[in-house]
């Protein structure tokens, strides 16, 4: 139906009750606030002026919450108003008389003093008590230093903060409208009924005051929702023209056309009745129609679709700032916010610092890396997060005897392609591989629009010449702007033909660089199943809580389809180490699951087989079996790095996925329950760390960022839970973003130094380059596997999802390539990766 007229009669009730059992005592202590917000308890002023059109009175009943009061929002026990500006379509809002009943209860405020107050967070119930791992103390290893964080500390006064529940009847879905109503109420009654209090309101259920309100129960009448222009999100376009659209106007299913409705209610004559209407709002069952001629597109909206390569490059140039420039911009933003002049900050007595928070940090030492004994350098100590392959040989170099090359670039002549292949083969040999300099067949040139035909021609030609032997590697030269060619090539090679492929762009073929060739050789060696380097401490069995007993390290991630794709499945990937004690090679599984489902559904599965009965399976179980086959030992310890989980999903993911790990272990052997450490890895956060002195070259890398290995586990971290920030990589451009690691569950009793050193050292084992990476490799491999898996899935799986896993081709992935597993060619459930 069309949206109701903004000035129709609505009566709203605000019920304000004390939220917790005691008053919140604001002790003078430091708390971090958001970078660009107005602090934790501020609210934006509203420009509200009476309009000629008035709307119905709203009844607002409120009670301050006392003992036994109803919890209004269990998911957010301490809700804060948004720091974003609140606008109502740039038009003022008039308020209608509303009656608010707000009883003041003496024991209804929340007083903490210096004590902590436990609050029900509303996470899923469990058969056993579940709480996150507690911090075992701060780490001590590393060179101590001071860094600055984009956190700003707030001084809170020693006085009570009262929180009230607010109920509005009838309910309003829009926070902006709710805030506008309360803002008008404050404007009208602040000096009289509210006792000069300036409450902060979160737009939903919670209202805060610096002291008690001067009445026990009161009902207000507020004129609101007058001549207001509102903002709506377009959810779709009607399939019928406006002149044919009808909708029920009451509960008796009385129908009215959209044209008649807008004429009668608004006096608005729709001119273009042949055009469709916009469908707005998130309620799909109750359609809301708006004629397009009555709407204007709000400017400044974010574009969330995929950008072109040129757009991405231009965007990065604009947003990529050196650390010093970003720090100055942040400080300028804080000064512009003028917290000391904010009326809400004054009301609640909050003082916010304008200086970046100084934080104690430590720079962890880089680990020694082991290379092959035949090289001039057997061991290597990375410097500032990087090293190179000069005078070094891969610790486990593989053999490539049978390979071919296909050229899809029109600008690359056959002689140029042949020279590039010879140089690459020579670099592979220098790096420690055995690489046949001659291809199986001459280099084949093909058109990009005939990728499938060309690949199958090369494959069959090689198979005929090899007389049954496998083609081990396919080199592919691609145009720089290749569109969908790369994805098509990977999908065909790795799920249809079973070929390991290595793609190279035209620009690298013409401009041959030894560093580039060395990096490609590293990729090829890993794809063939070799190791480039390992941690010296791993070879020497000196990694605490890893080297003592067989330990498997998992990485897991879920990638979701782009915005606007409503049917594509989410892709879950789990990888696990397959060698011990080296912990360098990883195998993985990928599965399609329900659209935008964050919980990994296929960690553990059971199903009924007509012959065998109940059968157990799942990604965790299969990877445990794979580890046993690879090492000859079953894992006695599990370390699980989970990527891509937001704080609001911590409890849900931990409960579900830890339970799946337990069941997978128990399904292999009775009483088999190795201890588990469950760590969430986060990169999508806003924390940045800056050197204390940008002029001190010894405290920064070449890009001006903090040194790789910098770890922070105090002050800006959780006061009691086990988390830390780790910048494990050297910056290349822009400002480095540290990874945030949160240990949710720890049965292995890691010390702070133990988990921090392990995580940092693993970041030096990424197989595809001679640099430390920003995220621990198991989590990074899982992310890459999930991202690339869309190339490997069958088209019907990409469209409809794969809840049971049926339809995905089984494959083994080596590095960023795959090849079919002989045992999984028919009726397989997942895609298998080896990194």
């Amino acid at each position: 139906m069309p949206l109701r007229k903004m000035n129709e009669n609505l009566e709203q009730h605000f019920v304000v009750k004390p939220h917790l059992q005691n008053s919140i005592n604001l002790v003078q202590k430091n708390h971090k606030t958001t970078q660009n917000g107005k602090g934790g308890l501020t609210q934006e002023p509203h420009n509200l002026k009476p309009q000629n059109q008035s709307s119905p009175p709203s009844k607002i009943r409120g009670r301050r919450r006392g003992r036994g009061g109803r919890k209004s929002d269990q998911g957010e026990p301490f809700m804060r108003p948004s720091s974003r500006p609140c606008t109502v379509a740039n038009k003022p809002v008039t308020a209608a008389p509303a009656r608010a009943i707000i009883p003041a209860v003496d024991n209804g405020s929340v007083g903490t003093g210096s004590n902590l107050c436990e609050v029900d967070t509303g996470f899923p119930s469990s058969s056993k008590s579940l709480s996150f791992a507690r911090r075992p103390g701060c780490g001590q290893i590393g060179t101590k230093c001071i860094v600055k964080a984009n956190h700003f500390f707030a001084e809170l006064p020693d006085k009570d903060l009262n929180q009230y529940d607010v109920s509005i009847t009838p309910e309003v879905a829009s926070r902006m409208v709710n805030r506008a109503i309360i803002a008008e109420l404050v404007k009208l009654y602040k000096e009289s009924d509210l006792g000069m209090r300036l409450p902060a309101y979160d737009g939903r259920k919670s209202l805060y005051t610096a002291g008690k309100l001067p009445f026990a129960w009161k009902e207000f009448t507020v004129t609101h929702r007058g001549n207001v222009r509102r903002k709506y999100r377009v959810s779709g376009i009607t399939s019928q023209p406006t002149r044919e659209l009808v909708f029920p106007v009451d509960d008796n299913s009385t129908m009215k056309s959209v044209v008649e409705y807008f004429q009668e209610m608004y006096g608005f004559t729709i001119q273009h009745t042949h055009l469709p209407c916009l469908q707005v709002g998130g309620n799909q069952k109750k359609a809301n129609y708006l004629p397009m001629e009555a709407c204007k597109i709000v400017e400044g909206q974010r574009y969330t679709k995929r950008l072109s390569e040129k757009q991405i490059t231009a965007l990065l140039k604009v947003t990529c700032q050196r650390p010093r420039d970003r720090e100055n911009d942040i400080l300028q933003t804080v000064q512009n916010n003028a917290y000391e002049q904010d009326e809400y900050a004054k009301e609640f007595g909050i003082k916010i610092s304008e200086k970046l928070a100084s934080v104690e940090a430590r720079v962890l030492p880089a680990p020694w890396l082991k290379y092959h004994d035949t090289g001039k350098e057997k061991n290597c100590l990375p410097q500032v997060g990087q090293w190179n392959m000069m005078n070094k040989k891969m610790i486990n170099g593989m053999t490539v005897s049978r390979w071919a090359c296909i050229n899809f670039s029109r600008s690359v002549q056959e002689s140029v392609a042949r020279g590039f292949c010879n140089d690459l083969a020579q670099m592979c040999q220098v790096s420690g591989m055995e690489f046949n300099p001659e291809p199986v067949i001459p280099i084949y040139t093909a058109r990009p629009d005939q990728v499938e035909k060309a690949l199958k021609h090369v494959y069959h030609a090689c198979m005929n010449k090899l007389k049954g032997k496998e083609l081990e590697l396919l080199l592919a030269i691609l145009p720089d702007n290749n569109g969908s060619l790369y994805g098509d090539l990977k999908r065909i090679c790795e799920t249809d033909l079973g070929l390991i492929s290595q793609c190279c762009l035209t620009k690298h073929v013409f401009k041959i660089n030894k560093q580039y060739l060395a990096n490609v050789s590293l990729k090829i060696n890993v794809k063939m199943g070799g190791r480039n380097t390992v941690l010296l401490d791993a070879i020497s069995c000196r990694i605490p809580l890893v080297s003592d007993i067989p330990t498997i390290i998992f990485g897991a991630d879920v990638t979701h389809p782009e915005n606007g794709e409503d049917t594509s499945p989410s892709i879950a990937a789990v990888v696990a180490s397959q060698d011990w004690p080296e912990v360098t090679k990883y195998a993985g599984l990928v599965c399609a699951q329900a659209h935008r489902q964050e919980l990994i559904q296929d960690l553990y599965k059971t199903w009924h087989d007509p012959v065998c009965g109940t059968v157990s399976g799942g990604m965790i179980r299969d990877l445990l079996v794979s580890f046993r086959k690879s090492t000859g030992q079953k894992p006695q310890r599990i370390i699980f790095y989970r990527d891509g989980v937001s704080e609001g999903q911590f409890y849900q993911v931990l409960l579900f996925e830890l339970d799946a790990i337990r069941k997978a272990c128990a399904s292999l052997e009775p009483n088999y329950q190795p201890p588990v450490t469950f760590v969430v890895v986060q990169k999508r956060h806003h924390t940045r760390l800056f050197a204390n002195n940008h002029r001190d070259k010894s405290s920064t890398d070449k890009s001006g960022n903090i040194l790789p290995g910098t770890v922070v586990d105090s002050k800006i971290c959780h006061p009691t839970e086990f988390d830390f920030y780790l910048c494990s990589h050297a910056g290349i451009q822009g400002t480095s973003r540290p990874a945030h690691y949160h240990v949710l569950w720890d049965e292995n009793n890691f010390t702070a130094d133990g988990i921090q050193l392990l995580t940092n050292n693993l970041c030096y084992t990424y197989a595809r380059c001679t640099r430390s990476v920003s995220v621990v490799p198991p989590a990074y491999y899982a992310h890459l596997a999930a991202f690339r898996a869309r190339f490997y899935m069958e088209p019907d799986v990409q469209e409809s999802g794969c809840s049971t896993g049926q339809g995905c081709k089984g494959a083994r992935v080596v590095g960023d390539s795959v090849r079919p597993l002989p045992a999984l060619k028919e009726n397989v459930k997942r895609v298998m990766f080896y990194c």
Side-chain angles (χ1 to χ4, degrees):
M1 63 177 290
L3 293 170
R4 295 187 179 276
K5 190 175 182 181
M6 304 308 297
N7 64 348
E8 64 181 331
N9 290 332
L10 290 176
E11 195 173 56
Q12 295 181 323
H13 301 267
F14 292 160
V15 181
V16 181
K17 299 181 293 184
H19 184 72
L20 299 175
Q21 293 182 354
N22 303 308
S23 65
I24 300 175
N25 193 324
L26 300 182
V27 183
Q28 286 189 347
K29 58 193 292 188
N30 288 334
H31 290 277
K32 65 181 181 181
T33 63
T34 55
Q35 172 184 328
N36 295 324
K38 289 285 186 182
L41 296 174
T42 61
Q43 183 185 11
E44 309 77 8
H46 298 274
N47 180 20
L48 302 176
K49 297 180 182 179
Q51 301 296 308
N52 295 329
Q53 269 188 322
S54 63
S55 71
S58 297
K59 284 187 182 177
I60 308 166
R61 294 186 300 177
R63 288 189 303 201
R64 200 176 66 182
R65 170 169 270 171
R67 294 182 183 274
R70 179 182 57 83
K71 292 186 179 179
S72 65
D73 226 321
Q74 292 186 1
E76 295 183 60
F78 191 86
M79 298 187 66
R80 306 175 187 174
S82 170
S83 61
R84 295 176 295 178
C86 176
T87 58
V88 187
N90 299 323
K91 283 271 185 134
V93 178
T94 35
R99 289 182 290 176
I101 305 172
I102 309 177
V105 184
D106 290 339
N107 64 354
S109 50
V110 184
T112 62
S114 59
N115 297 325
L116 295 175
C117 179
E118 292 187 357
V119 181
D120 178 16
T121 54
F123 56 87
S125 60
S126 173
S127 58
K128 55 186 178 181
S129 177
L130 180 66
S131 60
F132 295 151
R134 295 296 176 182
R135 187 182 303 282
C138 293
Q140 301 298 322
I141 296 177
T143 304
K144 293 184 179 180
C145 64
I146 299 295
V147 297
K148 291 178 290 186
N150 60 337
H151 292 238
F152 297 86
F153 293 103
E155 293 183 14
L156 306 180
D158 187 10
K159 64 179 182 181
D160 289 343
L161 167 66
N162 292 266
Q163 181 178 0
Y164 299 89
D165 277 351
V166 177
S167 297
I168 302 177
T169 306
E171 293 185 2
V172 178
S174 171
R175 286 193 180 190
M176 291 190 297
V177 175
N178 285 341
R179 286 174 176 150
I181 295 170
I182 292 294
E184 184 65 16
L185 184 148
V186 172
K187 178 181 177 181
L188 295 175
Y189 298 104
K190 177 182 178 182
E191 297 181 1
S192 56
D193 299 81
L194 298 181
M196 296 303 295
R197 299 291 183 199
L198 181 62
Y201 177 53
D202 72 349
R204 292 201 184 278
K205 295 291 185 181
S206 297
L207 182 142
Y208 306 90
T209 60
K212 298 179 182 178
L213 293 175
F215 49 82
W217 188 277
K218 202 170 186 68
E219 193 168 287
F220 295 87
T221 302
V222 179
T223 303
H224 69 98
R225 298 178 70 185
N227 185 20
V228 179
R229 298 188 64 192
R230 296 182 60 184
K231 295 179 183 179
Y232 296 97
R233 183 181 300 276
V234 178
S235 58
I237 298 178
T238 61
S239 57
Q240 297 173 288
T242 303
R243 60 172 173 262
E244 298 178 11
L245 290 174
V246 295
F247 63 94
V249 293
D250 54 32
D251 295 337
N252 297 325
S253 299
T254 304
M255 307 302 288
K256 181 173 289 190
S257 72
V258 172
V259 175
E260 293 174 347
Y261 180 85
F262 275 86
Q263 182 64 50
E264 295 175 6
M265 296 297 293
Y266 299 101
F268 182 83
T269 301
I270 301 177
Q271 301 293 331
H272 305 283
T273 58
H274 64 287
L275 296 176
C277 276
L278 300 178
Q279 289 182 271
V280 300
N283 190 345
Q284 299 296 327
K285 295 181 180 178
K286 186 178 180 181
N288 290 325
Y289 302 138
L290 285 179
M292 288 189 284
E293 60 196 85
C295 303
K296 291 185 178 180
I297 298 175
V298 179
E299 64 180 2
Q301 298 185 65
R302 220 163 32 105
Y303 182 76
T304 57
K305 304 295 183 181
R306 182 188 295 275
L307 301 178
S308 67
E309 291 187 8
K310 290 184 178 179
Q311 290 172 323
I312 293 174
T313 302
L315 182 64
L316 289 176
K317 286 182 179 179
V318 174
T319 58
C320 185
Q321 289 180 297
R322 291 293 186 186
R324 180 181 295 183
D325 297 333
R326 182 177 287 269
E327 180 182 333
N328 291 335
D329 279 357
I330 291 172
L331 291 172
Q332 185 63 45
T333 300
V334 173
Q335 292 174 4
N336 293 340
N337 285 341
Y339 294 118
E340 70 281 356
Q341 300 175 12
D342 184 82
E343 57 180 349
Y344 286 92
K346 293 178 181 178
E347 173 74 13
F348 289 90
I350 299 173
K351 296 180 180 179
I352 299 175
S353 172
E354 292 188 353
K355 296 181 179 180
L356 294 169
S358 293
V359 183
E360 294 180 356
R362 291 168 291 114
V363 180
L364 301 178
W368 281 89
L369 303 177
K370 173 65 177 174
Y371 282 91
H372 200 274
D373 290 338
T374 58
K376 292 183 179 179
E377 293 186 24
K378 301 177 183 179
N379 301 328
C380 169
L381 180 63
Q383 300 296 321
V384 197
Q386 53 188 323
W387 65 103
N388 56 52
M389 287 295 294
M390 290 181 61
N391 301 322
K392 304 176 188 67
K393 290 186 180 293
M394 303 162 181
I395 192 166
N396 295 120
M398 300 304 289
T399 300
V400 178
S401 302
R402 302 177 295 275
W403 61 277
C405 177
I406 184 168
N407 177 20
F408 288 103
S409 178
R410 295 179 180 178
S411 58
V412 177
Q413 302 298 323
E414 184 178 354
S415 59
V416 176
R418 191 184 309 113
F420 173 78
C421 291
N422 290 337
D423 289 342
L424 179 59
Q426 185 177 359
M427 178 59 71
C428 289
Q429 293 171 348
V430 170
S431 300
M433 296 180 64
E434 293 184 17
F435 202 103
N436 185 356
E438 294 298 326
V440 175
I441 62 173
I443 296 174
Y444 183 77
T445 301
R447 291 168 49 185
D449 58 349
Q450 297 182 347
V451 56
E452 184 171 5
K453 179 180 178 181
L455 289 172
K456 289 184 176 180
H457 170 80
V458 171
Y459 175 77
H460 292 301
C462 291
M463 292 298 290
N464 291 335
K465 189 166 184 179
L466 293 172
K467 298 180 179 180
K469 293 183 179 179
E470 267 193 13
L471 184 65
E472 296 171 330
L473 176 67
L474 177 68
L475 297 178
I477 299 174
L478 308 183
D480 293 332
N481 298 316
N482 54 74
S484 62
L485 175 60
Y486 174 81
D488 293 338
L489 184 145
K490 289 290 183 182
R491 177 177 53 82
I492 296 168
C493 281
E494 297 160 358
T495 62
D496 189 7
L497 302 178
L499 292 177
I500 297 175
S501 59
Q502 175 60 54
C503 297
C504 304
L505 294 178
T506 299
K507 60 183 178 181
H508 298 302
V509 174
F510 280 118
K511 187 179 179 180
I512 298 177
N513 179 283
K514 287 188 176 181
Q515 182 64 51
Y516 172 76
L517 294 177
N519 287 340
V520 174
S521 69
L522 295 177
K523 292 182 181 182
I524 292 175
N525 188 53
V526 174
K527 290 176 182 181
M528 299 303 298
R531 292 190 190 93
N532 295 330
T533 184
V534 298
L535 296 171
L536 185 61
D537 282 351
I539 295 290
S540 307
C541 296
R542 292 182 305 205
I543 301 179
L545 295 179
V546 172
S547 299
D548 53 342
I549 57 176
T551 300
I552 186 170
I553 300 180
F554 284 92
D557 189 23
V558 178
T559 61
H560 303 291
E562 298 176 0
N563 291 332
E565 291 188 20
D566 299 327
T567 58
S568 298
S570 294
I571 306 294
V574 180
V575 306
S577 58
Q578 297 296 292
D579 54 347
W580 181 84
E582 294 88 354
V583 195
T584 302
K585 298 177 68 173
Y586 291 83
L589 291 165
V590 169
C591 248
Q593 59 185 35
H595 176 73
R596 295 208 168 272
Q597 171 64 257
E598 182 60 40
L599 299 178
I600 302 177
Q601 300 300 301
D602 276 359
L603 288 182
Y604 176 72
K605 287 283 187 180
T606 58
W607 63 92
H608 180 75
D609 185 89
V611 178
C612 304
T614 301
V615 180
S616 297
M619 293 192 278
I620 295 292
R621 191 181 193 277
D622 292 352
L623 290 170
L624 291 172
V625 171
S626 179
F627 180 93
R628 176 70 180 265
K629 290 180 179 178
S630 244
T631 64
Q633 304 179 76
K634 63 181 180 182
Q636 296 297 320
R637 179 182 290 116
I638 294 175
I639 301 171
F640 197 95
Y641 286 99
R642 177 64 156 92
D643 195 5
V645 181
S646 63
E647 289 185 30
Q649 297 174 305
F650 277 3
Y651 279 104
Q652 187 181 14
V653 169
L654 179 61
L655 281 170
F656 182 86
E657 297 184 1
L658 182 62
D659 182 60
I661 295 172
R662 295 278 186 232
K663 290 178 179 177
C665 293
S667 69
L668 290 171
E669 188 177 301
N671 300 321
Y672 174 54
Q673 290 296 327
V676 178
T677 296
F678 195 104
V679 186
V680 167
V681 188
Q682 294 175 309
K683 280 284 282 185
R684 293 188 176 183
H685 57 77
H686 298 291
T687 295
R688 299 293 185 275
L689 301 176
F690 304 96
N692 191 45
N693 182 3
H694 292 285
R695 297 179 180 178
D696 183 7
K697 300 301 181 182
S698 63
S699 63
T700 61
D701 58 21
K702 292 181 180 179
S703 65
N705 281 287
I706 56 176
L707 295 172
T710 301
V711 63
V712 173
D713 58 2
S714 63
K715 213 166 187 177
I716 63 172
C717 295
H718 196 282
T720 59
E721 293 175 6
F722 194 0
D723 71 324
F724 58 93
Y725 289 95
L726 173 63
C727 183
S728 54
H729 67 296
I732 299 176
Q733 61 179 358
T735 303
S736 297
R737 179 184 301 180
H740 185 215
Y741 297 89
H742 204 125
V743 183
L744 300 186
W745 190 260
D746 184 25
E747 295 173 334
N748 291 298
N749 298 320
F750 272 98
T751 63
D753 283 324
I755 193 68
Q756 291 167 12
L757 281 172
L758 172 63
T759 302
N760 185 60
N761 290 352
L762 288 175
C763 290
Y764 285 80
T765 63
Y766 184 59
R768 294 159 51 118
C769 63
T770 54
R771 299 178 64 95
S772 59
V773 290
S774 60
V775 174
V776 66
Y780 197 16
Y781 287 140
H783 175 77
L784 287 177
F787 178 76
R788 292 178 181 275
R790 295 189 185 276
F791 296 143
Y792 312 137
M793 296 294 184
E794 290 289 345
D796 60 329
V797 176
Q798 293 184 27
E799 292 295 328
S800 62
C802 184
S803 58
T804 63
Q806 299 296 330
C808 311
K809 277 188 174 293
R812 183 181 75 174
V813 176
V814 189
D816 59 353
S817 297
V818 286
R819 60 193 308 178
L821 291 175
L824 297 177
K825 283 189 176 179
E826 300 296 333
N827 299 322
V828 296
K829 296 184 177 177
R830 287 174 296 276
V831 179
M832 186 89 175
F833 289 75
Y834 281 104
C835 302

